[in-house]
Amino acid sequence: MVLRIAVGGIHTECSTYSPVLMQPEDFRVLRGDDLTGAEYFSFLPTEDVEIHPLLHARAIPGGPVSRAAYEGFRKEFSEKLLATLPLDGLYLAMHGAMNVEGMDDAEGDWIANARSIIGQDIPLAVSYDLHGNVTQKIVDQIDIFAAYRTAPHIDVRETMERAWLMLVRTLKTGEKPGVAWAPIPVLLPGEKTSTEDEPAKSLYHRLPEHDRIDGVWDANLMVGYVWADEPRATACAVVTGSDYQAAKRAAEEIAFSYWQARQEFRFGPVTGDLDDMLDLAEKADTKPVILADSGDNPTGGGVGDRADVLKSLIIRGFEGAVIGGITDRPAVEACFAAGVGKTLSLKIGGSLDPASPFIEVGAEIISLDDPGPAAERQAVVKIGGNTLILAARRRPYHNIADFTRHGIDPAKLRLLVVKSGYLSPELQPLSNPNLMALTDGVINQDIEKLTSERRVQPIFPFAKDFDYTPVANASARWR
């Protein structure tokens, strides 16, 4: 028997504090053979399985998704899903922290819509980022749930494969899994909950122990996404299993362990305000010092167009820094119009968010990178004794190749500034040391000062003096 399984989903993370809406062009969309041929989905071929690719839309985290963009993707996905029927199973590769204009639970809407199309008899599996937010509406539609167990995320493929193999297992064996989950009234930033540091390191290392319990298939601890001021934003434990009582006990135990550790979470790198971190960078006799501009990190939902760190370096007369990078399409276009070797006056910063700080400086154009589309262009400029990479679109500079592409060797720098929180797995080993500046931006790490109008209270650390006893809830499909 050949199993017919459809594959699709939508994957992004959205700060509700950002005024910059995501549009269709911000997403990388995979359809048909492009989906099945992508490295991202290369684990999919399985013996006796026929893959039916639908639509998978993925974007770098940012502001809320425009309603029109979301509705367009949802409509196309729905039409493709309907056209594939009948099916044996559906796998959705999601993130979990998407916010859509005028919608509190976008993933709940997406998954419930998929369930309405495939009917109640078809198993539905999802994979999530551990920074996703979960709701009862989501849990009520699914049979299988798996989430990342590392942050920085080095187990993306492994997680997707866990969800996929559980789906194939239920279809081939007839075992019927379900999902139990326990919300936890704790909401912390990813930079305090990296699995490289304690106590998250030990909490996540214990998850496979739950997997080995009879009746438990897959145990997950969700940190949630703090920069979404919406009712569903919270941590939770989510367990897939074939024995409800075993899954319920596991979810409650995981939830309580996170609750008990809530006071212990700290930032991993040396952390402080920008001036203090730059003082340390100036005095350092090691290199490369890597400074994370945490409030403007595009992979956390930051806009990526703030020039406050650049401005501080210039005011200090600092030399030998590389800043990777600032999003400013008008500045990139001005550089391309002028040409390599020219010096021109540039306004840098604030091109996307009018509230972002900018600076007007003289800049010498060192190199231009034109891979084709105007949105992919980059320009490297020299400002005094420092080098800045400008990008036409929002993007991170978290991999070594992001710099060597421009002839820059990060290992040889005095100071490398990146818009990041915890460093990527490629940059972290190079840092000597790693400093994190608690900069302003739409993902400001000083979360207790965030406007909190719609979160369900009490929730730690917005409130601190309250009790909690975990209670796991089952999926309606299990009940």
Side-chain angles (χ1 to χ4, degrees):
M1 173 184 174
V2 176
L3 301 172
R4 293 169 49 84
I5 303 178
V7 178
I10 189 165
H11 187 291
T12 193
E13 183 176 64
C14 305
S15 168
T16 59
Y17 300 96
S18 173
V20 184
L21 294 180
M22 280 199 268
Q23 304 295 345
E25 58 268 23
D26 294 312
F27 287 80
R28 179 195 180 203
V29 183
L30 297 174
R31 304 172 174 89
D33 292 343
D34 288 339
L35 189 155
T36 51
E39 175 63 23
Y40 190 66
F41 287 104
S42 61
F43 66 92
L44 284 174
T46 301
E47 187 178 357
D48 299 327
V49 175
E50 183 178 278
I51 307 298
H52 291 268
L54 305 172
L55 168 147
H56 189 265
R58 180 168 184 166
I60 292 170
V65 179
S66 75
R67 190 62 175 260
Y70 173 77
E71 295 291 356
F73 288 138
R74 183 180 182 271
K75 181 176 184 292
E76 181 181 349
F77 172 85
S78 300
E79 290 172 350
K80 291 180 181 297
L81 179 57
L82 186 62
T84 66
L85 298 180
L87 289 168
D88 296 300
L90 173 62
Y91 165 54
L92 301 177
M94 311 293 285
H95 180 289
M98 177 173 59
N99 179 272
V100 174
E101 284 183 297
M103 189 179 290
D104 276 335
D105 186 7
E107 282 85 4
D109 178 79
W110 185 280
I111 296 169
N113 173 64
R115 171 59 69 192
S116 72
I117 294 170
I118 64 175
Q120 296 302 312
D121 297 332
I122 305 302
L124 196 165
V126 300
S127 57
Y128 262 52
D129 188 305
L130 63 83
H131 298 123
N133 294 319
V134 179
T135 63
Q136 188 66 45
K137 181 177 182 178
I138 291 167
V139 171
D140 282 344
Q141 313 304 319
I142 64 177
D143 305 279
I144 292 163
F145 182 100
Y148 305 164
R149 291 174 173 175
T150 62
H153 307 314
I154 58 175
D155 66 334
V156 174
R157 180 188 180 94
E158 177 185 324
T159 300
M160 296 170 73
E161 198 166 0
R162 279 166 35 218
W164 174 257
L165 291 177
M166 284 190 285
L167 180 58
V168 173
R169 172 181 172 180
T170 188
L171 291 173
K172 287 190 173 183
T173 67
E175 296 177 90
K176 299 294 185 184
V179 176
W181 78 299
I184 313 165
V186 175
L187 198 52
L188 297 169
E191 285 69 19
K192 278 191 175 179
T193 52
S194 169
T195 58
E196 299 290 315
D197 305 311
E198 296 292 358
K201 184 175 182 178
S202 293
L203 291 171
Y204 278 87
H205 278 182
R206 288 201 290 269
L207 292 179
E209 297 175 11
H210 293 283
D211 295 349
R212 292 190 284 270
I213 297 170
D214 287 343
V216 173
W217 288 20
D218 200 271
N220 303 277
L221 173 57
M222 305 292 289
V223 169
Y225 183 68
V226 69
W227 294 289
D229 186 12
E230 55 185 17
R232 68 177 184 162
T234 185
C236 65
V238 188
V239 177
T240 302
S242 55
D243 182 322
Y244 171 63
Q245 291 302 324
K248 180 177 186 295
R249 285 192 299 270
E252 290 173 352
E253 184 177 327
I254 295 165
F256 193 59
S257 68
Y258 192 67
W259 170 257
Q260 286 183 305
R262 69 192 182 283
Q263 305 274 9
E264 301 171 25
F265 290 94
R266 302 287 185 273
F267 292 119
V270 176
T271 305
D273 65 32
L274 178 58
D275 282 337
D276 288 345
M277 296 302 97
L278 290 179
D279 285 345
L280 292 176
E282 285 186 319
K283 296 172 185 175
D285 56 8
T286 57
K287 64 180 185 181
V289 177
I290 302 185
L291 175 66
D293 175 7
S294 64
D296 202 30
N297 171 20
T299 62
V303 177
D305 73 339
R306 296 177 64 93
D308 34 3
V309 178
L310 172 63
K311 183 176 182 179
S312 292
L313 289 169
I314 293 171
I315 291 172
R316 284 172 173 261
F318 192 100
E319 294 190 349
V322 169
I323 301 99
I326 295 176
T327 301
D328 195 319
R329 186 163 179 170
V332 171
E333 290 176 348
C335 290
F336 270 80
V340 173
K342 301 295 184 181
T343 297
L344 70 167
S345 178
L346 282 179
K347 173 184 175 290
I348 298 171
S351 65
L352 294 174
D353 182 357
S356 292
F358 64 89
I359 187 170
E360 295 184 5
V361 292
E364 178 189 358
I365 304 167
I366 303 301
S367 65
L368 299 171
D369 184 6
D370 187 2
E376 301 301 321
R377 286 177 167 180
Q378 300 175 68
V380 180
V381 299
K382 197 83 170 178
I383 301 170
N386 301 305
T387 301
L388 167 66
I389 307 174
L390 291 163
R393 67 170 177 87
R394 294 177 61 255
R395 52 156 296 165
Y397 288 82
H398 290 181
N399 297 320
I400 292 173
D402 296 332
F403 301 95
T404 55
R405 179 182 183 93
H406 303 292
I408 299 168
D409 183 352
K412 296 180 179 179
L413 302 177
R414 178 186 180 193
L415 173 65
L416 175 62
V417 178
V418 290
K419 291 183 181 294
S420 181
Y422 48 67
L423 294 184
S424 69
E426 289 196 20
L427 292 182
Q428 177 61 49
L430 292 181
S431 61
N432 192 20
N434 169 204
L435 307 175
M436 188 169 78
L438 300 178
T439 46
D440 289 332
V442 301
I443 56 165
N444 191 314
Q445 297 288 331
D446 191 2
I447 63 169
E448 292 177 54
K449 293 182 180 178
L450 294 175
T451 303
S452 188
E453 297 178 345
R454 308 190 64 243
R455 294 184 183 87
V456 175
Q457 298 290 351
I459 190 166
F460 180 87
F462 300 93
K464 294 184 173 65
D465 187 18
F466 65 99
D467 295 323
Y468 163 71
T469 300
V471 177
N473 303 311
S475 167
R477 291 178 58 73
W478 215 346
R479 297 195 301 268

